[in-house]
Amino acid sequence: MTTIRTFEDYQQVYRNSVEDPESFWAAVAEDFQWHRKWDTVLEWDFHKPEVKWFSGGQLNITENCLDRHLATRGDQTAIIWESNDPAEESRYITYREAYHEVCRVANMLKANGVEKGDRVCIYMPMIPETAYAMLACARIGAVHSVVFAGFSSGSLIDRINDAGCKVVMTTDGSYRGDKVIQLKSIVDEALEKCPTVERVLVARRTGTRVNMKPGRDAWWDDELKTVSSECPATVVDSEDLLFILYTSGSTGKPKGMVHTCGGYMVYTNYTFRTVFQYQEGQVYWCTADVGWITGHSYIVYGPLSAGAITLMFEGVPSWPDMGRFWHVAEKHRVNIFYTAPTAIRSLEKAPLSYVKQYDLHSIKVLGTVGEPINEEAWHWYHEHIGRGQCPVVDTWWQTETGGFMISPIANITKLKPAFATLPLPGVQPAVMDENGKELMTNNIEGRLAIKFPWPSMARTIYGDHQRFKDTYFSTFKGKYFTGDGCRRDKEGYYRITGRVDDIIIVSGHNLGTAEIESAIDEHSAVCESAVVGYPHDIKGQGVYAYVICYDKPHEEENLRKEIREMVAKIIGPIAKPDKIQFVSGLPKTRSGKIMRRILRKVAEGDTGNLGDVTTLLDPAVVDEIKAGAL
Ligand code: WT7
């Protein structure tokens, strides 16, 4: 038994999944089209670390997302697309149309020299073509690396070079509220430093004038004129790469998390159907961008493999006004709505009339993801969007986990505001104390680890398996360390309390403090910087930067502006510091390690008790920092 319809089912299924994980996942995997069934369900060793699911199995994930639905629901909508501009017509793409579009794009890739195993960078906005691009790569066994289209050319360079991408897929421009972003020119700038890229395929979206480099760049619509709308799926192994997706590390450059085909397909499909309790014909809307793992797993692969109707929204929640989400939800009679706490908090601040003017009765299930949700936002969401009648599934997971890990199951798990509640089938959490011992009882707090593999876990960091081991498998021997702190209450419910490392989550975007610091340090006036997060009403966390300059700045405001622009240029606008405090020194230990604990306290406005500062090299800097706090 794998299907869950009652809480007793959940308990039974969970128990089976832990006692005999292989039989459990084999039963789930039976529901897919395989060219060849697996030889072994699971091989693993967390010390190496090595994990293989459905080894020997052969498949193509796009046959499970598209082909297999043609007979049963070929004319059903697969993707509803809603434009940034409310006046532009929505698009309704059936499974059959999606199938042919993906085949055409796949043939275009082939015609441009893309082969199995090649890496393709996708730097595109929220349009159906972006989903086709991902699936087209998967169709021919190429590996996609989607880079969020809000990232700057600097971030794009790092990601293209790290993966050694051969082709970039992009658009002329993209819309964001009332702004047009020149995507193609950002790509042009990046490619001056990306020697591996041979071809750039450009879809039209904004009609913006662009430069096309002869021999390198081609218009997508021209290329599609000559290709067939059938493309046989390349049969791949379960453990072949499906995609690379970059996520921030607490130090160094972003990590290219590697996900593979078989396990990822099985897990995203199962968790999508289970957590949302998706029912045939329901309209499902996840507001994330496809540039993040949420978009990969729960806009594209999970919903499509489940034959769902998935809504893709190009716009932003605040334009043309703060009612846009609710307008779209009413317009398309959305049944399942999945968004981020940061969006909820910003919409909660707007007058309630923006919600009240729309009929949201179609909504049956609500979800959140990306960061801990505060109770106030949870209640607002539950009451005003869910009419007090819809479950809120607070899904805890990560880019690295590929799919939901700890989450309520809609209408089945008893909810507790701000709790991700209970582990899903196959997920075995462990709460660890500071000494690396697992806490076996309830009503405890510690660091969250996972002690057994699940099918969609990342297999490695692209090109750096040692870093994969060091980051995730060295803190607690034989366990996967999540980087999060958590509490397990008397009932065994989990509440995620946030990162315990140097990663900050700004509006649901995962940013490494080291990354932001190195961008700030690029400014010629800056000698050194330290970045911490601080509580921010809407974004969850804001970016607070302490900056040391070579010379005391004359025009502080100007310099702040330049530093912010520098960060936007190197990483992207999401990483811009909200506050910049100029300081003459940083609190460092004798070994030179910055004591971020102190900086965090000051940034939080808590300057009363900074704890022990006696190990500092120069305790006097602390007084200066306190005095200048913003
Ligand atoms: C980190 C992962 C999972 C897709 C989006 C973010 C935080 C995520 C929750 C939640 C509390 C959460 C964690 C996690 N996080 N969901 N429901 N409750 N915290 O993916 O960028 O890889 O970030 O987001 O800190 O480690 P990501």
Side-chain angles (χ1 to χ4, degrees):
M1 175 172 117
T2 59
T3 304
I4 298 174
R5 293 287 175 248
T6 64
F7 192 68
E8 289 66 44
D9 291 349
Y10 163 74
Q11 290 175 310
Q12 178 71 44
V13 168
Y14 185 77
R15 208 174 311 122
N16 296 347
S17 77
V18 169
E19 283 165 8
D20 187 357
E22 300 196 22
S23 305
F24 174 75
W25 288 114
V28 177
E30 285 295 335
D31 278 343
F32 297 83
Q33 279 186 5
W34 298 83
H35 281 266
R36 183 182 186 279
K37 284 276 168 74
W38 52 91
D39 299 320
T40 38
V41 177
L42 171 64
E43 292 153 69
W44 69 294
D45 176 356
F46 271 0
H47 294 280
K48 276 185 176 171
E50 181 181 84
V51 174
K52 290 183 182 168
W53 282 92
F54 309 112
S55 223
Q58 294 190 319
L59 74 154
N60 186 292
I61 194 170
T62 70
E63 290 181 321
N64 287 279
C65 290
L66 301 167
D67 309 43
R68 69 162 164 167
H69 301 312
L70 296 181
T72 48
R73 52 171 74 86
D75 298 320
Q76 180 207 292
T77 302
I79 300 173
I80 299 176
W81 176 76
E82 176 68 26
S83 165
N84 176 66
D85 178 357
E88 184 175 354
E89 245 178 79
S90 310
R91 290 166 64 181
Y92 301 85
I93 298 139
T94 64
Y95 272 93
R96 194 178 323 284
E97 286 162 345
Y99 164 81
H100 286 299
E101 291 300 333
V102 168
C103 285
R104 278 150 45 91
V105 177
N107 285 326
M108 164 172 79
L109 289 173
K110 278 190 182 168
N112 281 278
V114 179
E115 291 173 4
K116 179 171 185 285
D118 285 344
R119 276 81 57 217
V120 174
C121 172
I122 300 176
Y123 185 65
M124 294 177 66
M126 287 287 285
I127 54 177
E129 286 71 15
T130 308
Y132 305 156
M134 294 163 71
L135 292 160
C137 289
R139 187 87 181 162
I140 62 172
V143 178
H144 59 71
S145 165
V146 182
V147 177
F148 172 55
F151 277 127
S152 66
S153 63
S155 299
L156 191 55
I157 292 169
D158 292 345
R159 287 161 174 77
I160 290 174
N161 289 340
D162 186 77
C165 294
K166 189 171 179 182
V167 167
V168 176
M169 304 174 88
T170 189
T171 59
D172 47 0
S174 70
Y175 294 113
R176 192 175 166 78
D178 56 2
K179 290 199 273 293
V180 176
I181 295 146
Q182 316 283 325
L183 281 194
K184 174 63 166 61
S185 63
I186 298 173
V187 170
D188 290 340
E189 195 184 330
L191 292 194
E192 286 173 22
K193 298 197 178 128
C194 299
T196 58
V197 174
E198 294 166 16
R199 305 287 282 165
V200 180
L201 301 167
V202 188
R204 289 182 209 272
R205 173 62 188 126
T206 54
T208 313
R209 270 188 67 99
V210 302
N211 292 317
M212 297 293 278
K213 186 170 168 183
R216 187 193 72 184
D217 303 353
W219 286 107
W220 187 303
D221 48 3
D222 290 343
E223 296 291 298
L224 286 188
K225 278 182 197 143
T226 51
V227 300
S228 152
S229 60
E230 294 288 347
C231 174
T234 299
V235 177
V236 302
D237 292 339
S238 286
E239 285 298 334
D240 277 340
L241 271 63
L242 176 60
F243 64 85
I244 302 170
L245 184 62
Y246 287 84
T247 188
S248 296
S250 54
T251 53
K253 57 185 177 106
K255 302 168 288 194
M257 304 314 306
V258 169
H259 285 281
T260 57
C261 297
Y264 178 83
M265 169 181 77
V266 169
Y267 195 83
T268 53
N269 172 285
Y270 179 72
T271 49
F272 170 77
R273 291 186 294 110
T274 302
V275 165
F276 294 118
Q277 292 285 296
Y278 183 83
Q279 287 162 35
E280 191 77 41
Q282 284 189 320
V283 176
Y284 160 82
W285 180 17
C286 164
T287 70
D289 192 282
V290 284
W292 311 115
I293 191 69
T294 312
H296 284 57
S297 303
Y298 299 111
I299 293 178
V300 179
Y301 291 110
L304 294 180
S305 67
I309 304 172
T310 177
L311 192 154
M312 216 176 158
F313 175 49
E314 184 188 30
V316 295
S318 54
W319 190 84
D321 63 43
M322 297 299 275
R324 188 70 200 282
F325 269 6
W326 320 128
H327 183 196
V328 175
E330 178 190 81
K331 178 176 178 187
H332 297 293
R333 291 182 207 85
V334 168
N335 303 120
I336 302 172
F337 180 73
Y338 184 39
T339 196
T342 182
I344 299 169
R345 284 191 300 269
S346 72
L347 296 170
E348 183 191 337
K349 302 274 182 298
L352 207 52
S353 54
Y354 283 115
V355 179
K356 295 279 186 230
Q357 61 186 286
Y358 299 106
D359 178 359
L360 300 180
H361 278 81
S362 60
I363 295 180
K364 299 287 180 261
V365 173
L366 296 171
T368 68
V369 61
E371 54 182 313
I373 182 165
N374 47 309
E375 288 188 43
E376 192 198 346
W378 193 98
H379 285 293
W380 183 87
Y381 193 41
H382 184 253
E383 182 182 337
H384 295 294
I385 308 306
R387 313 173 307 281
Q389 291 169 14
C390 305
V392 177
V393 294
D394 177 352
T395 61
W396 174 81
W397 58 298
Q398 309 178 295
T399 304
E400 295 85 340
T401 71
F404 305 151
M405 299 293 282
I406 301 181
S407 170
I409 298 174
N411 291 313
I412 289 174
T413 311
K414 186 189 74 179
L415 302 174
K416 253 184 223 182
F419 278 74
T421 75
L422 298 170
L424 293 173
V427 175
Q428 301 189 32
V431 183
M432 313 295 290
D433 72 9
E434 299 91 272
N435 306 318
K437 255 191 59 213
E438 182 176 352
L439 297 165
M440 304 304 290
T441 56
N442 285 345
N443 205 3
I444 41 112
E445 193 158 343
R447 293 165 180 231
L448 180 61
I450 313 286
K451 54 187 176 186
F452 195 84
W454 62 99
S456 68
M457 65 186 295
R459 302 297 194 257
T460 190
I461 292 174
Y462 192 76
D464 198 347
H465 197 63
Q466 186 60 43
R467 187 175 180 200
F468 184 62
K469 180 175 178 169
D470 295 343
T471 310
Y472 303 105
F473 296 89
S474 303
T475 312
F476 305 118
K477 291 269 171 285
K479 295 188 176 64
Y480 167 82
F481 176 45
T482 64
D484 283 325
C486 84
R487 214 173 90 200
R488 187 166 60 212
D489 77 359
K490 325 196 263 309
E491 275 187 295
Y493 269 46
Y494 290 82
R495 179 179 189 146
I496 310 300
T497 50
R499 305 289 309 187
V500 297
D501 54 18
D502 290 329
I503 287 175
I504 52 184
I505 300 189
V506 179
S507 300
H509 304 316
N510 194 319
L511 300 168
T513 52
E515 245 182 304
I516 306 176
E517 286 158 10
S518 83
I520 294 174
D521 298 350
E522 290 284 307
H523 193 288
S524 58
V526 174
C527 157
E528 196 185 352
S529 62
V531 164
V532 296
Y534 71 98
H536 186 288
D537 264 7
I538 289 172
K539 300 182 184 183
Q541 281 189 295
V543 178
Y544 194 119
Y546 298 88
V547 174
I548 307 177
C549 295
Y550 290 105
D551 303 305
K552 196 173 156 36
H554 298 297
E555 304 259 2
E556 290 202 351
E557 269 321 300
N558 268 344
L559 185 55
R560 282 200 179 93
K561 208 167 144 244
E562 286 174 22
I563 290 172
R564 287 164 55 81
E565 275 160 18
M566 180 69 86
V567 174
K569 186 159 166 23
I570 294 175
I571 304 175
I574 47 173
K576 279 200 257 185
D578 298 279
K579 295 183 179 178
I580 299 175
Q581 180 181 350
F582 294 106
V583 294
S584 67
L586 291 167
K588 288 191 180 169
T589 61
R590 276 157 230 277
S591 62
K593 196 166 155 43
I594 297 173
M595 281 181 92
R596 286 169 193 278
R597 175 174 59 82
I598 292 174
L599 298 177
R600 251 181 243 130
K601 285 240 173 192
V602 173
E604 283 164 12
D606 174 10
T607 50
N609 178 16
L610 294 180
D612 182 20
V613 293
T614 52
T615 55
L616 286 180
L617 193 59
D618 176 12
V621 296
V622 176
D623 294 324
E624 181 209 315
I625 287 173
K626 281 199 318 204
L630 298 171

